[in-house]
Amino acid sequence: MKKLVVLFLGVFAVLTLSACGGAVDIGIVLPTNDEPRWVQDEERFEALLDETDYSVEILFSDGDTAVERSNVESLVAQGIKVLIITAQDGDAAAAAVEHAKAEGVTVIAYDRLITNTDAVDYYVTFDSIAVGEAQAQYLVDNATGTGNPLYLYAGAASDNNAFLFFEGAWNVLQPKIADGTFELINSSEAVNHRSKAALTRDELADIIDQVTTNWDFNEAINKAEAHLTEATADEKGDVFILAPNDGTARSIADTFLDDNDVSSIVITGQDAERASIQYIIDDIQSMTVFKDVRILVEDAMTVAVDVLEANEISTTGSYDNGSIDVPSIQTDVIVVDRNNVLEVIFDSGYYDEDDFDNIDDLN
Ligand code: BGC
């Protein structure tokens, strides 16, 4: 009797496993659906799903490493062969991908590098140094004379991209801080390092830790308010703001424009989020760095399908993640402001003009 039950349970377990196993081919894990950036990615992945014969499941991690870990475990249990993952925290995600890798899954880091592990097979990314350089160049191109007040903000220190963006920005800003074009207002750590053209990771971390938004709108507002309270009227006027992405740019822009001593702002962003495209049309946010998610999604899916079909994978470079050089495929970025938004965002079909107001004001 006992034997029979065990046998029955055994058969049941195998049936359950095989019902799950093989059910999903490609698992996609995105960090949060609270930010329009990642909802964009989800939409662009979904747009491609009709074209593939493979089954794909997309899960969000609610900005939480533990949820991310259980998402990965559940996809692995469903038999995925390829995992496409944007880590919530680059270091913390190592354990999750090591679990997947141990089960024979090929791991593709999507947009954010997973660090200090050898369990990453490919990295599909934008040129993030170029993002920071483009943001900084925009500030430089719009500044005249000397002593222009400069406020710096950064992404989350748990995201390797925050370092790449800031490194790129520093490459361009540092000489213009050194020659007096800009005066640093809100970061004593940036002041400490202002004469160094190239910063170490620790020096970058000093500044990022001080001016981080953690990619969080409320933290961006709170920091901006604190900085404005501390700054004198002389340190306001026509200000220049390095904001790391669109969500934080809108929050910081609103906060600065509420201050009576601020006469004008030049403020950066990235992601070409719908709300920021509207802010650009309305001349509130100065620019965004357009990262065409359609290309990133297509690159990631191409690698995934090539893995499933055992085709050769072509990569264009590599990124050192602290443990190995991860083969990478990298996409360029485009600066968008009021001058080219029509052409780059609407004429290209990225967004539909009908979803926006005041487009006629651009002409
Ligand atoms: C991405 C940005 C995004 C930010 C916040 C970064 O890793 O590259 O596009 O705005 O995370 O989610």
Side-chain angles (χ1 to χ4, degrees):
M1 178 68 194
K2 226 180 184 180
K3 245 187 184 166
L4 251 183
V5 172
V6 172
L7 193 69
F8 177 74
L9 281 178
V11 169
F12 182 73
V14 170
L15 281 178
T16 322
L17 265 184
S18 59
C20 294
V24 180
D25 304 304
I26 303 169
I28 300 174
V29 177
L30 296 172
T32 171
N33 53 8
D34 273 350
E35 290 176 40
R37 159 68 215 265
W38 304 111
V39 176
Q40 261 194 66
D41 293 69
E42 181 198 30
E43 287 168 5
R44 302 295 183 184
F45 271 115
E46 275 170 353
L48 275 194
L49 296 191
D50 289 345
E51 292 168 25
T52 174
D53 295 335
Y54 295 101
S55 70
V56 179
E57 183 164 342
I58 306 176
L59 298 174
F60 283 100
S61 303
D62 303 334
D64 183 331
T65 298
V67 176
E68 177 179 88
R69 171 76 197 236
S70 67
N71 282 342
V72 171
E73 282 172 3
S74 117
L75 291 166
V76 169
Q78 291 178 76
I80 57 162
K81 301 282 177 302
V82 183
L83 173 67
I84 298 173
I85 176 169
T86 305
Q88 175 57 32
D89 174 314
D91 274 337
V97 296
E98 280 159 14
H99 166 72
K101 189 89 189 133
E103 299 296 320
V105 173
T106 298
V107 176
I108 303 172
Y110 177 84
D111 195 288
R112 295 180 180 168
L113 190 57
I114 298 169
T115 35
N116 298 313
T117 176
D118 61 4
V120 191
D121 297 285
Y122 301 101
Y123 179 34
V124 176
T125 183
F126 292 103
D127 184 347
S128 295
I129 297 264
V131 171
E133 287 177 344
Q135 293 172 330
Q137 194 59 50
Y138 199 89
L139 299 178
V140 169
D141 290 346
N142 283 282
T144 50
T146 55
N148 296 288
L150 175 63
Y151 293 76
L152 302 173
Y153 295 91
S158 57
D159 176 359
N160 188 58
N161 285 347
F163 285 81
L164 301 175
F165 301 146
F166 205 89
E167 182 184 336
W170 190 258
N171 289 344
V172 176
L173 287 175
Q174 189 275 336
K176 294 294 176 181
I177 293 165
D179 76 5
T181 304
F182 291 117
E183 191 192 334
L184 290 163
I185 307 297
N186 69 329
S187 170
S188 56
E189 293 294 350
V191 170
N192 288 343
H193 297 312
R194 70 179 180 275
S195 50
K196 262 195 98 177
L199 301 180
T200 63
R201 184 142 180 128
D202 284 349
E203 289 164 342
L204 286 168
D206 292 341
I207 304 175
I208 292 171
D209 285 344
Q210 189 174 44
V211 297
T212 183
T213 60
N214 263 318
W215 297 133
D216 179 276
F217 312 153
N218 291 321
E219 191 157 340
I221 292 171
N222 293 340
K223 283 241 160 91
E225 278 173 351
H227 296 149
L228 286 164
T229 304
E230 213 166 294
T232 62
D234 281 358
E235 293 169 334
K236 298 180 187 174
D238 298 315
V239 304
F240 292 77
I241 308 167
L242 177 77
N245 73 348
D246 282 351
T248 57
R250 295 192 301 277
S251 306
I252 295 168
D254 291 344
T255 311
F256 270 72
L257 291 171
D258 261 355
D259 188 298
N260 289 333
D261 293 323
V262 171
S263 344
S264 74
I265 61 172
V266 177
I267 184 165
T268 62
Q270 72 168 302
D271 293 335
E273 287 182 0
R274 284 185 171 84
S276 280
I277 294 301
Q278 188 63 57
Y279 261 42
I280 289 174
I281 295 168
D282 294 339
D283 216 359
I284 304 170
Q285 186 175 324
S286 315
M287 62 86 84
T288 188
V289 181
F290 174 42
K291 310 201 301 190
D292 191 335
V293 167
R294 292 171 300 189
I295 300 175
L296 207 63
V297 159
E298 197 167 327
D299 284 348
M301 286 298 284
T302 302
V303 175
V305 169
D306 280 343
V307 168
L308 288 167
E309 296 180 355
N311 295 333
E312 204 180 307
I313 316 275
S314 45
T315 53
T316 51
S318 69
Y319 273 75
D320 178 359
N321 80 340
S323 170
I324 52 165
D325 284 328
V326 184
S328 62
I329 298 170
Q330 185 163 292
T331 294
D332 290 340
V333 296
I334 302 172
V335 170
V336 172
D337 68 1
R338 292 188 97 232
N339 295 316
N340 66 352
V341 64
L342 273 180
E343 178 194 330
V344 179
I345 299 296
F346 299 122
D347 295 352
S348 74
Y350 196 72
Y351 292 144
D352 189 341
E353 278 192 39
D354 295 343
D355 297 334
F356 294 81
D357 298 322
N358 311 328
I359 293 204
D360 290 347
D361 295 354
L362 289 168
N363 301 312

